[in-house]
Amino acid sequence: MNDQIGWRGSAEKGEAHLTLSAADDALVQAAWQQAEAMRPAFDTMMREIRDRTNERGSQLPGDRLSDGVAEVDYSLKTLESLRGKVARELDKDLAKSTADVLADMKDLNRYTLLFEAQSYTRGVQETFQELRARGFEEIKAQNTWTDPVYKGINSAWEHPGSGQRIELQLHTPDSFRVKMENHALYELSRSGTFKAEFGLTGAGPYIDAANQLQNERYQTCREVNGERLPIEIPDGHEQLAPPFARVELQGIAQEYHLAAVRERANAIAPNSAQSPASSVTQNPATQQNMSVAQLAEMKGGVKATTTGLPGQGAQAPSAQAQSASSTQSSTQTSASGQAVNPAAGLARQRSARGNAQNSGNTAAQGPAAQQNTARPRQLPQQNNNNGRGRGH
């Protein structure tokens, strides 16, 4: 039957409400396999562009050799991530078909280039020139350096002769690192899990809290003389594309909502004492030996540990330990008379429902995990950027 469920989202990521029919899932798999076949040629092209913009200190995160085969980590969207994206689009617009969504897809093959803030604008301009020289035409360039929760440029390109498309994100090392550390929060805010749990109106405060937590990292991402400073915005970025903000912060979120979102995000991306991203930034030798898969979870890829969320630790109460005023206003009472966290209870209920629904779900894996013994590709000396790391 065409309406038989062929894929269901992960309960762990709060996406058990997302599904694809068997017929739709077959279309998604076919599109992914076509992108997989294009990956080697695109990887080679992006290495060449990286090398040709080397004077600007360009870096291609994830570039390495795995089992003697040159690959760029995350240059192919995982099949699981693609399924989730298609399901979200179908959920948002019931008039769309899976074929419509796939025809609009621009990021099956995707890459990131990094430039230091001081050379960012010129480096991006030269990168765009290189793509045009190879016959690609720009179909999207979104400049969100003024956005509070995602800072960078996201572009998409198409080769008219073949119809081949790639997504190319342009970051500084700092904006790239923060984007990766924010990934669990980003997934929560876009997945619809809060709307599924709390309804369209009730979800608002939780989405606002996730946005605020993402913004906090950008406000404290650099350390200069012992002081935590906001991210450095590249001069002249507005020359690359008109800047705009996708999100508007809705004031200061209540601590209860912040704590509940921290708890949920940490369940997706567990804490570690020190994030791989920060250690790579400090150690250029380590940088060359680590793949992006080891740095952070990127766009629905394989999970990796990340740093704690902003405000977490001794200074911030957890979802179970609120201040007296927060507890009175935001907790419920169990049958035994003890205060319980309603968000945590809903999370457990949702997880249990999702696990039950997922039994019998078809397992899907993206590209082979790239954790095998790898010989690091030596980057040109100029790519070290005075010890700055590659930072997903």
Side-chain angles (χ1 to χ4, degrees):
M1 294 177 60
N2 288 339
D3 57 353
Q4 180 181 359
I5 293 179
W7 173 88
R8 183 181 295 278
S10 164
E12 181 182 358
K13 291 186 177 182
E15 296 184 344
H17 60 288
L18 298 175
T19 63
L20 292 174
S21 71
D24 287 342
D25 190 46
L27 291 176
V28 170
Q29 291 189 54
W32 182 84
Q33 290 167 358
Q34 184 176 5
E36 183 185 33
M38 291 304 307
R39 184 184 192 180
F42 284 146
D43 283 2
T44 298
M45 180 182 75
M46 290 311 304
R47 284 194 191 91
E48 293 173 352
I49 293 176
R50 184 269 318 276
D51 292 343
R52 290 178 68 88
T53 57
N54 186 256
E55 288 185 3
R56 309 298 173 187
S58 56
Q59 300 176 48
L60 179 63
D63 185 19
R64 67 193 184 103
L65 292 175
S66 177
D67 291 337
V69 178
E71 280 187 344
V72 178
D73 286 346
Y74 288 102
S75 62
L76 175 67
K77 194 180 193 73
T78 68
L79 177 56
E80 190 69 7
S81 181
L82 175 60
R83 285 164 158 161
K85 183 167 184 176
V86 171
R88 279 190 294 272
E89 291 298 319
L90 295 176
D91 195 47
K92 285 192 300 183
D93 188 348
L94 298 180
K96 276 189 175 181
S97 69
T98 297
D100 294 333
V101 175
L102 291 172
D104 290 338
M105 196 73 62
K106 303 175 181 68
D107 64 344
L108 279 177
N109 298 101
R110 55 331 170 90
Y111 298 86
T112 300
L113 282 177
L114 309 185
F115 299 95
E116 291 289 344
Q118 297 81 1
S119 57
Y120 178 88
T121 298
R122 188 60 186 149
V124 174
Q125 289 172 335
E126 292 178 1
T127 297
F128 286 0
Q129 291 170 5
E130 288 290 334
L131 284 167
R132 293 186 181 104
R134 287 166 168 77
F136 282 82
E137 293 183 357
E138 178 185 302
I139 56 177
K140 180 184 75 170
Q142 293 182 339
N143 178 353
T144 55
W145 276 104
T146 58
D147 185 82
V149 303
Y150 182 93
K151 297 187 182 296
I153 287 181
N154 190 321
S155 68
W157 300 78
E158 180 175 335
H159 196 285
S162 63
Q164 301 163 1
R165 292 180 174 182
I166 62 168
E167 178 191 81
L168 177 59
Q169 296 184 19
L170 293 308
H171 283 281
T172 65
D174 284 338
S175 72
F176 182 55
R177 174 172 50 81
V178 174
K179 185 197 84 163
M180 292 195 302
E181 292 173 350
N182 275 342
H183 184 70
L185 291 165
Y186 169 74
E187 287 294 322
L188 279 174
S189 65
R190 73 167 186 163
S191 67
T193 183
F194 291 136
K195 292 180 181 178
E197 288 188 23
F198 304 110
L200 187 61
T201 302
Y206 294 94
I207 296 173
D208 293 342
N211 290 336
Q212 181 174 315
L213 290 170
Q214 291 178 77
N215 178 256
E216 285 180 12
R217 279 205 177 99
Y218 285 111
Q219 302 307 315
T220 58
C221 69
R222 295 188 298 140
E223 184 171 345
V224 179
N225 297 326
E227 182 180 2
R228 303 300 299 181
L229 299 178
I231 192 168
E232 184 176 1
I233 305 297
D235 289 337
H237 68 84
E238 64 278 358
Q239 301 172 24
L240 304 170
F244 78 105
R246 297 180 297 181
V247 170
E248 181 178 348
L249 296 181
Q250 302 296 317
I252 300 176
Q254 295 184 16
E255 178 56 35
Y256 169 69
H257 295 124
L258 292 169
V261 171
R262 288 190 194 103
E263 178 182 301
R264 184 68 56 76
N266 283 336
I268 297 174
N271 294 328
S272 63
Q274 182 184 36
S275 72
S278 62
S279 64
V280 168
T281 299
Q282 296 166 6
N283 187 339
T286 303
Q287 164 195 327
Q288 296 180 6
N289 286 277
M290 295 185 70
S291 70
V292 176
Q294 295 170 300
L295 302 181
E297 180 185 5
M298 183 189 291
K299 295 185 178 178
V302 180
K303 286 198 305 179
T305 56
T306 65
T307 56
L309 296 176
Q312 188 172 19
Q315 298 86 350
S318 68
Q320 289 87 1
Q322 299 293 320
S323 64
S325 60
S326 296
T327 302
Q328 291 174 358
S329 63
S330 61
T331 58
Q332 297 174 343
T333 303
S334 68
S336 62
Q338 294 179 328
V340 297
N341 184 327
L346 283 168
R348 287 190 293 271
Q349 294 171 16
R350 177 181 54 76
S351 179
R353 291 196 304 269
N355 289 338
Q357 292 169 338
N358 274 337
S359 60
N361 181 30
T362 55
Q365 297 183 3
Q370 300 167 7
Q371 302 292 338
N372 300 320
T373 303
R375 292 185 287 113
R377 183 187 192 282
Q378 294 297 320
L379 299 178
Q381 185 63 32
Q382 295 92 328
N383 274 9
N384 286 338
N385 282 332
N386 298 322
R388 298 299 292 273
R390 298 196 312 217
H392 100 193

